[in-house]
Amino acid sequence: MYKIIIFFLCFNSFAQSEIVFNASADNKLLFMDDDYGNKAGTLDLNLIVSLDAEQRKIGFWSMIVSYENAQLKGGAYTRYGLATAYNFNKIINKVNIKPYISYGNIIRYKAVTASWESGVIFYYKIYKSISYTLGVNWTKRTDLKNNPFRFGTQSGISIGLNTDYKTK
């Protein structure tokens, strides 16, 4: 997996116009108890690095590396993923809508299993390169019995760094 991430970062090192760092937490686990014995306040942290390509007419492409970790009652949950997304940022002022699809690995119960995820992240710009984020996703939870797709929501903050030498 690390070789894929290194290739991904090298391949895109000259193609992006911005690198976005996003940190968010699962809303349900943060505010409510769940059916599996996890109490409100359980931190399920999602970290995302997004390499954003150049602006087009209504948006731009992104390549994403993601990391998720939660200390759940049944054992630690970790997911690494690689995703592709298209950002629609010219439709609504100050709003970026980013649907994505991701493939990755879940590490839990001393096992590593492959997993798919899809979702949408909504960015609302609060200041130049700082945005509030709200994400919804469906994850193939291969660490659970019957491998269900699970729905989740996350909220957090993102910070973008402009890497387009033409605008510096």
Side-chain angles (χ1 to χ4, degrees), residues 16-167:
Q16 81 277 351
S17 63
E18 186 173 45
I19 299 174
V20 178
F21 299 92
N22 182 10
S24 60
D26 183 279
N27 293 323
K28 182 177 180 183
L29 286 173
L30 199 57
F31 298 113
M32 299 171 37
D33 295 350
D34 71 6
D35 299 335
Y36 299 98
N38 297 298
K39 299 292 182 194
T42 300
L43 185 61
D44 181 352
L45 184 64
N46 294 279
L47 301 174
I48 294 173
V49 177
S50 178
L51 303 173
D52 297 343
E54 293 183 8
Q55 180 69 46
R56 302 290 181 214
K57 188 174 181 177
I58 61 169
F60 53 91
W61 286 99
S62 292
M63 297 299 288
I64 300 167
V65 177
S66 64
Y67 169 79
E68 179 180 3
N69 184 276
Q71 298 302 314
L72 302 177
K73 185 165 178 113
Y77 170 86
T78 303
R79 183 178 190 278
Y80 298 93
L82 293 173
T84 187
Y86 194 83
N87 299 261
F88 297 94
N89 68 335
K90 295 293 184 183
I91 298 171
I92 303 170
N93 190 32
K94 291 188 173 187
V95 174
N96 178 2
I97 303 166
K98 180 190 275 191
Y100 68 91
I101 187 160
S102 169
Y103 179 78
N105 288 323
I106 292 175
I107 302 169
R108 191 159 184 213
Y109 307 123
K110 298 180 182 180
V112 179
T113 57
S115 171
W116 287 95
E117 179 177 284
S118 64
V120 179
I121 304 172
F122 299 89
Y123 295 81
Y124 181 78
K125 190 172 284 200
I126 21 182
Y127 186 71
K128 293 181 183 178
S129 61
I130 301 172
S131 298
Y132 169 76
T133 64
L134 176 64
V136 294
N137 67 345
W138 296 266
T139 305
K140 180 75 166 169
R141 289 291 303 272
T142 51
D143 60 314
L144 299 175
K145 289 182 181 180
N146 301 324
N147 300 326
F149 271 96
R150 299 298 283 282
F151 175 77
T153 63
Q154 303 83 29
S155 56
I157 191 121
S158 72
I159 298 173
L161 300 174
N162 187 342
T163 60
D164 188 356
Y165 71 91
K166 297 175 203 166
T167 61

